[in-house]
Amino acid sequence: MQRSVITLLLVLPIACNGGGTSSGTGTETGTGPGTGTGTTTESTGGETPTTGTTSPPVTTTTATASEPTSGDPTTGPTSTTATTDGPDTTTAATTDDSTTGEPAGDVYDPDEDGPWQYDDLAGEIDVDGEAIGVTAHYPTSGPEEGPYPVVLLAHGFNLPPTQYTNYATRLASHGYVVVNVDHAGYLFGPVDHVANANQLLAGLDWAAGHPELGPISDVDNAGATGHSLGGKISVLAAMYDARIKAAITLDPIDGANMCPNMQACPDVSGLLPIAIPLGFLGETLDTAGFMACAPAAENFTTFYAEAGPPALQVTVNGANHMSFLDDVASCGITCSFCQMPTLENAVVNELARAYVVAYYGRYLRGNAGYDTYLTGAEAQQRYVDPGLVTIAEK
């Protein structure tokens, strides 16, 4: 069917998340290919967690080359150059809300701002001739000096990076250097998810070489978080670059809508598992129906089904595909095609921010004290018991 510009606008719910035909299939929580056995624990509001048996993948794919390439995860790096603007003077409010945790360090409540003050600066990177904007939020003072773990942020298709600023500022206040990358994932640009992943990874090189960020950035201990298409390319980036040690994504979609070929838009869930912790937050309101925003055959559960342990799946009950943005009310037409959520945008955004902070506290800082906020007592009390989420882990 030929598509006019008007038609393209009508398919925004699919284009927005990179949806379309993919080789992934809808899978029940906790199952995956292979012949081994494992244990998957699910928690639901008002119920006692149950234990089932799953079949995790037999093979393990490790992260490959330390720098990305366009089109092939096993070959050399892309060429990048960077120019930057100076930092501004914005400073976050801080909090004393912390408790002494495991020997690895203190545990700070991820649902509150952490004890670090932070600043931000903007720049631009040239990645294979494409000008990619970047904004960094970084700690300036706090209970520990750097270098700090680095977290890459990837926006959803046709969505601005500014819709994820809440995640950046919360992470920076907990002692992370956050690079929010404006990759070329927009409606009227070329559709190339491999190129988008390389653009995201260029943020690590930019941070490492930046005079302000370089001395405080531990780019060899990095995470990747994205929403929708950004979630897919975050996992893809982790496959390309061993510097990424963990990834937690927000309603990722493993689609290939309007892609020229599968080389440009690979079936990422089909390439799992990889040898790093993976977390997936998602929803089920937008998984069915005409032009679903998050089709069941490509949604977050397909990533979790193929991921090896440790892996975490958090289903946010009552959220829709766009609920993970900072402010849906300012999103405009791009957000107007998804199902109406029954859970407030602010509630989902706060919950998701807390999970992202807790996940990186656990897997980039190696502090097991954050388990209580992921699957333990605090998660049960705050999210599971009130019926906000269902949790599965393996």
Side-chain angles (χ1 to χ4, degrees), residues 64-80:
T64 55
S66 62
E67 294 186 358
T69 180
S70 180
D72 187 346
T74 63
T75 58
T78 55
S79 173
T80 65

Side-chain angles (χ1 to χ4, degrees), residues 25-29 31 252 280 284 296 298-306 313 315:
T25 57
T27 310
E28 292 184 2
T29 300
T31 62
F280 308 99
T284 57
E298 303 162 353
N299 76 341
F300 73 111
T301 65
T302 65
F303 288 89
Y304 177 75
E306 306 297 337
Q313 176 180 275
T315 304

